[in-house]
Amino acid sequence: MKDVDIINVLKYEAVIGLEVHAQMLTDTKIFCSCSTKFGSEPDTQTCPVCIGMPGALPVLNKKALEFIIKTGLTMNCKISPYSRFARKNYFYPDLPKGYQITQYELPICEHGYVEIAVDGEIKRIGIIRIHMEEDAGKTIHEGEGNYSLVDLNRAGVPLMEIVSEPDIRSPREAMEYMKKLRTILRYLGVCDGNMEQGSLRCDANVSVRPAEQKEFGVKTEIKNLNSFKFVEKALEYEIKRQVKILEEGGKIKQETRLWNSERGITESMRTKEEAHDYRYFPEPDLVPIIVDQKWIDEIQASLPELPDIKRKRFVSEYGLAEYDADLLTSERPLADWYEEAVRLGGQPKAVSNWIMVELMRLLNEENKSIEGCTLKPKQLVDMFKLIEKGTISGKIAKTVFEEMYKTGKDAEDIVRDKGLEQISDEAAIDKAIDDVIAMHPKEVERFRAGEEKLIGFFVGQVMKLTKGKANPKMVNELLKKKLS
Ligand code: ADP
Ligand code: ZN
Ligand code: MG
């Protein structure tokens, strides 16, 4: 039985809320001027502030504030004119200060929502809050000895935490929601969305309840899911686990669990700590954050066109299918590439087809994104011109396109250097057709006896003989003349 079926059959409903951490793409850390660059030698990007020396004073990075306001506005949040930081106290070796600076009772963004599409239906997922906080360092467990190492380069890197309402009802929805957040964050340029490197990760809260029950069930929290698949798989597993416990008359324990991707299960990590365990209190070393409406308005005015709106525009303006428009607008650079080609005179549907079929295939083969692509929109449009002029056939164009992609050369040069011009010379095509007819007397007889679908066979043979270069329209016409 499939996972989802079990829930249906047993008439339980899942309730899910996600807490997503996104690393902000600022050059420097949130409270000091150390670099946020990924992958440097351990402890080379640190200073008294981010390693928590007593007396060192934090100062808020304005860029981080701008980024979170951008995100809040895009996700339909209210931006608080007055908010502040708080200390969350706990001990861990990667947290030298003994507390994390975060926001608690007065976050910068509240009461928003994003929309996701599941099976063609639009669903709104509420956002409780988006707040700023600093990341902790990294504990490294490697080497032979009985010890762990700590790298503090990541300590103080700015994060935003996006907390959803418990509005999500299935692992699929959770994954779609997470994908939507990633797309938006990347469009805004506030987070690179790299889940493997941990710049986007998610804690998933989940409970189940009998379908007729109003109150939510007791939830568990699955920590640190760093891929879309893991979000889906971990939730599927956890929902089944909870349903099974309830079916057997047991009770769900509120706790924090970890996803074990090798075994495909969630495992208990610790019983859930309560807010009061952290002794939150207002951060005394930072002034409250007061943002004036004028700045918010400026940021609002600077927001880029967002994916949902862009997608709708691609459908209405260029006459694209919903599916194509969705794919083309999934990443801003891809949408820009598309529009640049159209602006240069490419026929909208043709550009879309070439991107979706040929370009995507080539990029996928190398596991590359459009940003790493050296082929320019103008080169595609120039190739279209060669097709229109009849210099190359649509079939040969595929070869030309691949060559352009791989070598960076222009279509015209490739066609000339490789001798790929279409043969539109009637005498040459005539000759090829005569040869084919001479080689296949039986088929000619059958054709003349009425087996007309053999025309395809003859066209194929002529194209083979001319290495795909004969003008297909002329081949068709001349063949019909000669065979009749
Ligand atoms: P906690 O106090 O345990 O941190 P919060 O109320 O702050 O819980 O919510 C944290 C996250 O858990 C939010 O994303 C919220 O939507 C989600 N959540 C809250 N209650 C439930 C529940 N009963 N089942 C599933 N998710 C829930
Ligand atoms: Zn620092
Ligand atoms: Mg909470």
Side-chain angles (χ1 to χ4, degrees), residues 155-397:
V157 164
L159 300 178
M160 57 176 124
E161 179 173 341
I162 306 167
V163 184
S164 87
E165 295 279 0
D167 288 345
I168 300 164
R169 291 289 173 272
S170 71
R172 253 290 295 296
E173 282 183 18
M175 191 167 77
E176 290 304 327
Y177 166 78
M178 186 85 188
K179 282 188 179 164
K180 192 52 166 284
L181 291 194
R182 181 172 184 272
T183 305
I184 293 175
L185 295 171
R186 284 173 57 82
Y187 255 73
L188 294 176
V190 298
C191 171
D192 66 18
N194 189 327
M195 299 182 80
E196 270 165 37
Q197 286 177 8
S199 16
L200 190 67
R201 48 196 197 255
C202 147
D203 301 338
N205 297 270
V206 53
S207 61
V208 296
R209 60 177 171 186
E212 70 279 4
Q213 184 181 307
K214 279 249 156 17
E215 313 83 62
F216 290 156
V218 174
K219 72 176 161 74
T220 60
E221 178 174 355
I222 314 164
K223 279 277 174 204
N224 257 325
L225 298 164
N226 66 349
S227 85
F228 297 129
K229 264 274 87 68
F230 289 169
V231 170
E232 191 179 33
K233 289 269 166 280
L235 282 169
E236 277 171 3
Y237 175 87
E238 184 59 18
I239 290 166
K240 272 202 290 189
R241 189 188 70 88
Q242 291 187 11
V243 167
K244 186 156 176 282
I245 290 174
L246 294 181
E247 279 296 296
E248 289 167 1
K251 276 201 163 70
I252 308 299
K253 213 167 39 182
Q254 177 160 351
E255 63 184 354
T256 303
R257 300 179 67 86
L258 273 185
W259 169 243
N260 182 328
S261 60
E262 261 152 46
R263 298 179 58 197
I265 61 170
T266 65
E267 296 166 321
S268 179
M269 179 168 121
R270 56 173 188 243
T271 54
K272 167 88 188 164
E273 58 293 316
E274 301 288 340
H276 62 251
D277 294 335
Y278 288 121
R279 319 269 160 192
Y280 281 100
F281 64 85
E283 168 60 61
D285 286 345
L286 284 158
V287 292
I289 307 151
I290 297 170
V291 287
D292 62 77
Q293 190 58 41
K294 194 166 149 277
W295 193 40
I296 297 177
D297 293 344
E298 276 169 29
I299 295 175
Q300 176 87 57
S302 76
L303 293 178
E305 182 182 40
L306 289 157
D308 281 345
I309 295 174
K310 207 187 268 291
R311 189 187 66 241
K312 286 186 193 130
R313 183 169 64 78
F314 274 28
V315 171
S316 62
E317 194 172 329
Y318 303 125
L320 300 182
E322 191 74 33
Y323 178 86
D324 301 21
D326 193 40
L327 196 136
L328 290 173
T329 55
S330 62
E331 299 279 342
R332 208 166 138 192
L334 185 63
D336 289 346
W337 203 102
Y338 172 79
E339 286 208 286
E340 172 75 358
V342 173
R343 198 181 60 76
L344 291 169
Q347 201 273 328
K349 280 193 180 154
V351 176
S352 165
N353 285 342
W354 278 88
I355 294 180
M356 304 265 299
V357 181
E358 300 300 322
L359 186 57
M360 285 300 166
R361 177 178 62 80
L362 292 164
L363 287 171
N364 287 342
E365 270 173 18
E366 295 184 292
N367 211 356
K368 251 193 190 170
S369 74
I370 190 82
E371 281 143 303
C373 174
T374 48
L375 184 73
K376 295 283 166 279
K378 179 165 186 306
Q379 292 179 289
L380 175 64
V381 177
D382 286 346
M383 188 191 83
F384 284 168
K385 288 183 188 145
L386 295 183
I387 302 175
E388 274 159 39
K389 276 196 294 188
T391 312
I392 53 171
S393 66
K395 191 156 182 281
I396 288 292

Side-chain angles (χ1 to χ4, degrees), residues 48-62:
V49 173
C50 56
I51 63 173
M53 288 300 196
L57 289 175
V59 178
L60 177 60
N61 181 340
K62 192 174 176 189

Side-chain angles (χ1 to χ4, degrees), residues 29 31-35 45-51 155:
K29 293 187 180 178
F31 300 123
C32 63
S33 55
C34 291
S35 167
Q45 293 165 186
T46 56
C47 75
V49 173
C50 56
I51 63 173

Side-chain angles (χ1 to χ4, degrees), residues 104-121:
Y104 184 54
E105 83 300 11
L106 293 174
I108 179 81
C109 309
E110 287 183 286
H111 312 302
Y113 65 86
V114 296
E115 287 179 336
I116 57 169
V118 179
D119 297 329
E121 298 229 0

